[in-house]
């Protein structure tokens, strides 16, 4: 074992201002994304409860209304096939 092992820690340069800014910016972006995801998930679960109560109220009002006839259908004219003259 004639070769000596270098057990000293590797030299790591101090992070520059731009690197530090980028690191903290990424952390803030990740936190912002988590907050946005939670904001979408949490109110939708509350909104479904409100929709269920509204749907039961809506069913009661629909039963009181008179049923309307079938909705008028829009008629489309058939396309005319034209022969090409050569």
């Amino acid at each position: 074992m004639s070769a000596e092992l270098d057990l000293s820690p590797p030299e790591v340069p101090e992070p520059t201002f731009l690197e530090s800014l980028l690191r903290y910016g990424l952390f803030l972006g990740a936190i912002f994304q988590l907050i946005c995801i939670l904001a979408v998930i949490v109110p939708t679960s509350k909104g479904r409860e409100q929709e269920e109560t509204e749907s039961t109220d809506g069913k009661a009002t629909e039963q009181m209304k008179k049923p309307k006839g079938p909705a008028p259908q829009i008629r489309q004219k058939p396309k005319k096939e034209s022969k090409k003259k050569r």
Side-chain angles (χ1 to χ4, degrees):
M1 290 195 147
S2 60
E4 294 181 21
L5 297 175
D6 186 17
L7 299 176
S8 63
E11 294 181 16
V12 179
E14 290 291 322
T16 62
F17 176 73
L18 186 60
E19 290 173 345
S20 298
L21 183 67
L22 181 63
R23 177 186 299 153
Y24 292 119
L26 288 172
F27 281 124
L28 288 175
I31 292 169
F32 178 74
Q33 287 182 355
L34 289 174
I35 291 171
C36 290
I37 291 170
L38 288 175
V40 169
I41 293 172
V42 173
T44 52
S45 62
K46 291 180 182 177
R48 288 182 183 163
E49 293 172 2
Q50 291 175 352
E51 288 176 3
E52 289 175 359
T53 57
E54 289 175 0
S55 66
T56 56
D57 293 341
K59 289 179 182 177
T61 56
E62 287 177 8
Q63 291 173 355
M64 296 173 70
K65 293 181 181 178
K66 294 181 180 178
K68 294 183 179 179
Q73 297 178 355
I74 300 173
R75 296 184 184 182
Q76 295 180 352
K77 295 181 181 178
K79 294 182 180 180
K80 295 182 179 178
E81 295 182 14
S82 60
K83 295 182 182 178
K84 293 183 180 180
K85 294 182 180 179
R86 295 187 184 192

